[in-house]
Amino acid sequence: MGNENRGDVDKLVQADSVGQVHFHEHHHAAEVLRAEQLPPPPAGFVDREPERARLDEALGRGGERALCVTISGGSGTGKTALALHWLHGVRERFPDGQIYVDLRGKSVSRADVLWHCLRGLGVPGADIPGSEGEALGEYRSRTSGRKVAFVFDNVARPRELLSLLPASDAGLMLLITHRQSRDLVVDGVLPLELRRLDVDAGIDLLRSGAGERVEAEADAARRLVELCGGLPIALRITAGRLAKRPRWTLARVVAELDDDRRRLDRFTEGGVPVVSEALDRAVNELPAAQESLYRLLGVIPGPTFAADAVAALAGLPVDDAEELLYELHDANLLECNDQDEFRFHDLVRLHATRLRTPDAGALRRLVDWYRIRGAYADRAVMEPQRLRVGQDDELLTADNPFDHDGALRWLERERVNLLAVISAAHEQEWNRAVISLCDSPLWTLHNQHKHYTETLAALVSGVEAARREPDSVAEARLRTLQVQLLLELRDFVAAHEAGAAARAIAEEAGHRRVLGSALEFHGKVHLEEGAWSEAISLFEQARAINLELGKPRAVALQEYLIGRALVGRGESAAAVRSLTSALERLREFPRDRRIPGRINVALGRAHQQIGDHESAIVALRTAVDVVRARTVSFDLAEPLELLAESLLRSGDEDGARLHLREALSILDEARNPGAQRVRDRLAELD
């Protein structure tokens, strides 16, 4: 066969052997690579049993037409390796020939592909018809009744090649593409989609180069699979490095790959950054609008993103943003979950970050979107009139898009993204946005589901942002919120320090409502320490301020806390009066179901103290029902624990165990120190 090419071709490639690619350069002509047989099978192939089983089943099933299969997946997932490994195992089924053509991801004309297929089938170049229609007729004639397999690699648009299906029920056509092709099932195509390798398969691949080091450093081996993103190409390169360096530990390679800035550069062969170049090619093949969005997505600080957030980032209508995201998903550059949220594969994220468009305006639009969206969610979950210092009210110009439960779902789903956005805004010194995000969605989220470490770190950023602004009212408020978290973690020393600082700053700022809040939260520290009189004194001061300001909900909160302190001091009758007054005040706030639940918990304690367990059970069951109705788990722990004690006193030991186990599960999930207390109580009962 001569090195001929007909027509205009950008890149039409055939491979003679794996790892050996020969390009013939022609001035004003296309690059052409020619070969007639399959490249050799890949060495060290692992896993893909389900995909191979589906291929075997489809081939064995037969039919009235040639088998057509698409193998799709992201760059480096081993699509070509699977195709060659499997086809070499069944090549005796295709004695009339196996033709391999690498299209290099470019859109080439069907006429050019036909020309090379016919040459591979033995038709002399001079005898190939000049018109596409005649060439297609010749192709069908040459493949009719023949046992021949065609492998088209790096296909940009699989549908365009479906007409090249061999005209034989014993034929095969494999289309290897980075684009998802599920829609081709309606054309009789079997679509196979390759995902990253699981941990066990990844370790098997590492073992080919690392040997016994894999067993000796099992944790490091698992971490390596994770850092390689489960991609066969990255794992193969890493295994090769370990084979060349038998004295290297896996921990050393883990340390190298842990550096996000240089990880992609570690995956090289012969000095070529293979993974980066594969992703570069995939991005360069995108239409302009998709490529532009891909580069902009590298700006996003969080791990996931929905269409409405991306619309804000890119300044696009939501429908347009969603369409572009799905196009990137179809190109296997994004993954999508069942809630229509998108994310990058880990290595693709590093690549997108490297290529990201330096657009501070885009990031600011995203931060502002989270600020406004978070403010709406906050107001849907918590009392709209609660104390807030984020200065968001003037931004909320539309109807609230959330109801209570929808807002909670959004907050929990976006928790990690909110934390990342706060960090990004803090780095940019967008102080007002940081304050708002901490005071509004983050605080509401913590009130519903506890995430101590991340929330405390974010509040430190919030305090610093308030000092930079400067906004002493916001600083006092955010320090007050720190008190609550430190108190829940039983770090009383730090809680007292934060409480004293919050009170001092609020007094200096002259903001009475924030001062009342600081007094209340600092009083809680004394309450938890059992310093009942000190706690009551601070709560009474806070109550007087809120009576003066005409804030009945805040007054109810202080009466509830006073009632708790009175229970601690053994003054049960006075506690019941204070708690009952708090419940009455809260009748003005029917949307606030959280605090009435807490008040009933305190009433349960008061009734337990005087031995009235029947009344205690009624109050505590009411509290449990209220909390369950709001789908908030953490607040269930305390009433469940108390209810168990009253059930025990009433002789229901099985019911007590049931409620204690549920309370323990909740506290363990929140990593709350109180879990050990419940665990000990259960041990006493067993």
Side-chain angles (χ1 to χ4, degrees):
M1 263 168 56
N3 284 323
E4 300 180 53
N5 181 60
R6 299 177 61 177
D8 295 328
V9 183
D10 182 19
K11 285 185 179 180
L12 182 59
V13 181
Q14 291 181 308
D16 180 58
S17 63
V18 170
Q20 186 176 18
V21 177
H22 303 285
F23 284 99
H24 301 270
E25 301 286 349
H26 303 280
H27 293 293
H28 308 295
E31 297 169 335
V32 181
L33 176 66
R34 307 210 38 222
E36 293 185 35
Q37 300 299 320
L38 291 179
F45 187 85
V46 299
D47 200 44
R48 305 305 188 194
E49 284 89 353
E51 290 82 2
R52 284 186 279 156
R54 288 190 66 191
L55 287 166
D56 288 338
E57 179 187 3
L59 187 62
R61 187 167 56 239
E64 297 179 353
R65 49 181 277 164
L67 175 62
C68 182
V69 180
T70 58
I71 300 178
S72 63
S75 299
T77 50
K79 302 180 293 296
T80 302
L82 169 63
L84 294 177
H85 176 83
W86 176 76
L87 193 50
H88 272 281
V90 297
R91 64 183 305 170
E92 72 279 356
R93 299 282 296 267
F94 306 102
D96 294 327
Q98 309 96 35
I99 309 300
Y100 175 88
V101 183
D102 189 347
L103 302 179
R104 304 296 291 173
K106 296 298 182 179
S107 180
V108 298
S109 71
R110 187 176 59 174
D112 291 318
V113 179
L114 270 171
W115 189 88
H116 282 275
C117 289
L118 288 170
R119 291 288 284 129
L121 289 169
V123 181
D127 294 341
I128 296 176
S131 75
E132 181 181 342
E134 291 176 344
L136 184 58
E138 181 69 19
Y139 174 82
R140 289 170 178 162
S141 176
R142 291 279 179 165
T143 59
S144 177
R146 298 184 66 179
K147 299 177 180 180
V148 61
F150 291 87
V151 180
F152 298 106
D153 204 351
N154 291 305
V155 178
R157 296 179 177 83
R159 184 177 294 280
E160 295 179 356
L161 297 184
L162 293 186
S163 60
L164 299 187
L165 190 69
S168 168
D169 59 6
L172 169 70
M173 182 165 72
L174 286 178
L175 302 172
I176 304 170
T177 177
H178 69 276
R179 298 193 63 83
Q180 293 189 16
S181 51
R182 297 177 190 174
D183 59 315
L184 297 185
V185 69
V186 300
D187 297 290
V189 177
L190 172 65
L192 292 182
E193 296 180 9
L194 295 194
R195 302 301 180 197
R196 66 189 81 178
L197 295 176
D198 62 23
V199 173
D200 290 339
I203 288 175
D204 282 345
L205 211 162
L206 281 177
R207 189 177 285 109
S208 64
E212 296 178 356
R213 283 172 286 178
V214 166
E215 278 67 37
E217 299 181 73
D219 290 343
R222 297 178 71 87
R223 178 62 178 151
L224 275 180
V225 174
E226 180 182 338
L227 289 169
C228 290
L231 289 183
I233 187 173
L235 287 161
R236 236 178 261 282
I237 292 170
T238 302
R241 291 184 67 205
L242 287 164
K244 288 171 63 177
R245 303 288 186 267
R247 295 183 181 178
W248 279 14
T249 64
L250 271 62
R252 170 174 175 164
V253 183
V254 166
E256 290 180 351
L257 295 181
D258 250 333
D259 183 353
D260 285 351
R261 296 167 301 177
R262 300 192 60 192
R263 192 187 314 169
L264 285 174
D265 298 328
R266 300 289 186 185
F267 301 126
T268 62
E269 287 183 328
V272 177
V274 176
V275 175
S276 288
E277 286 202 350
L279 290 169
D280 285 342
R281 287 194 299 271
V283 172
N284 291 336
E285 292 161 9
L286 294 171
Q290 295 173 30
E291 180 181 355
S292 177
L293 184 63
Y294 176 87
R295 293 174 182 272
L296 199 57
L297 291 177
V299 172
I300 295 179
T304 63
F305 35 90
D308 47 3
V310 172
L313 174 82
L316 293 170
V318 174
D319 288 347
D320 291 352
E322 184 177 48
E323 184 63 27
L324 288 171
L325 287 168
Y326 273 111
E327 288 293 334
L328 292 174
H329 174 254
D330 290 345
N332 277 301
L333 289 168
L334 294 180
E335 299 172 354
C336 183
N337 63 23
D338 57 6
Q339 295 177 324
D340 288 331
E341 292 177 311
F342 297 86
R343 68 180 297 274
F344 286 111
H345 177 280
D346 294 341
L347 296 183
V348 181
R349 170 173 289 280
L350 297 180
H351 182 260
T353 300
R354 182 176 289 183
L355 295 185
R356 65 186 171 192
T357 303
D359 188 344
L363 179 60
R364 186 60 199 250
R365 288 193 298 271
L366 182 69
V367 169
D368 288 344
W369 182 85
Y370 270 103
R371 176 183 177 181
I372 294 171
R373 193 82 168 172
Y376 278 124
D378 163 37
R379 285 153 177 79
V381 174
M382 297 188 72
E383 173 57 44
Q385 301 304 315
R386 80 167 176 89
L387 174 60
R388 295 178 176 87
V389 295
Q391 301 180 13
D392 296 324
D393 289 339
E394 63 185 26
L395 303 176
L396 308 183
T397 57
D399 293 337
N400 196 325
F402 294 113
D403 60 17
H404 180 277
D405 292 347
L408 267 182
R409 287 192 296 271
W410 185 83
L411 286 168
E412 187 62 31
R413 188 174 67 241
E414 293 285 349
R415 180 180 67 86
V416 178
N417 291 328
L418 282 167
L419 292 166
V421 166
I422 289 171
S423 178
H426 182 257
E427 184 178 338
Q428 295 291 329
E429 298 191 10
W430 296 333
N431 301 322
R432 181 54 53 193
V434 174
I435 293 167
S436 170
L437 288 162
C438 289
D439 179 53
S440 197
L442 187 68
W443 181 244
T444 297
L445 179 57
H446 178 77
N447 266 275
Q448 311 303 313
H449 302 288
K450 306 300 184 182
H451 302 283
Y452 291 101
T453 302
E454 299 95 334
T455 306
L456 272 173
L459 287 176
V460 169
S461 297
V463 168
E464 185 176 336
R467 296 180 68 181
R468 288 189 310 213
E469 184 62 6
D471 184 340
S472 56
V473 172
E475 182 184 354
R477 172 61 176 166
L478 294 177
R479 287 185 182 276
T480 299
L481 302 184
Q482 286 178 317
V483 173
Q484 181 65 37
L485 269 74
L486 294 166
L487 174 60
E488 291 173 10
L489 291 171
R490 319 299 288 178
D491 188 346
F492 296 120
V493 173
H496 276 302
E497 290 177 356
R503 289 168 56 188
I505 295 168
E507 286 175 351
E508 184 178 348
H511 196 291
R512 299 284 286 164
R513 193 174 179 195
V514 170
L515 175 58
S517 177
L519 289 164
E520 174 193 315
F521 278 59
H522 199 179
K524 291 181 185 179
V525 184
H526 290 290
L527 181 68
E528 292 300 319
E529 288 183 310
W532 315 119
S533 297
E534 291 86 345
I536 290 172
S537 174
L538 291 173
F539 295 147
E540 290 286 9
Q541 292 178 59
R543 180 176 180 274
I545 289 173
N546 283 293
L547 279 170
E548 170 195 327
L549 296 174
K551 300 294 181 183
R553 181 176 177 276
V555 172
L557 283 170
Q558 275 102 53
E559 288 179 342
Y560 151 65
L561 292 167
I562 290 169
R564 285 185 57 192
L566 288 169
V567 170
R569 206 157 64 178
E571 300 177 25
S572 303
V576 170
R577 288 194 297 273
S578 184
L579 293 167
T580 302
S581 175
L583 280 175
E584 287 297 319
R585 291 185 192 277
L586 287 176
R587 292 186 189 278
E588 298 180 33
F589 303 91
R591 289 183 55 189
D592 190 343
R593 292 174 288 176
R594 183 184 182 88
I595 301 304
R598 290 180 172 181
I599 294 173
N600 274 295
V601 173
L603 274 172
R605 286 186 181 275
H607 288 305
Q608 283 181 342
Q609 193 173 71
I610 58 178
D612 185 1
H613 289 286
E614 184 176 343
S615 296
I617 289 172
V618 171
L620 293 167
R621 287 198 188 280
T622 300
V624 168
D625 290 344
V626 167
V627 176
R628 287 197 195 282
R630 290 167 43 250
T631 68
V632 178
S633 62
F634 182 80
D635 285 354
L636 274 171
E638 184 180 8
L640 286 169
E641 188 178 352
L642 291 171
L643 182 55
E645 292 304 315
S646 283
L647 289 171
L648 270 175
R649 299 299 182 105
S650 303
D652 186 357
E653 190 169 314
D654 289 340
R657 283 196 181 90
L658 182 68
H659 288 86
L660 284 172
R661 290 191 185 102
E662 186 176 358
L664 178 60
S665 175
I666 292 167
L667 293 169
D668 270 339
E669 183 178 355
R671 299 181 182 178
N672 188 282
Q676 188 57 49
R677 178 186 64 249
V678 179
R679 191 174 286 107
D680 293 342
R681 189 71 177 103
L682 274 168
E684 292 173 7
L685 297 178
D686 292 337

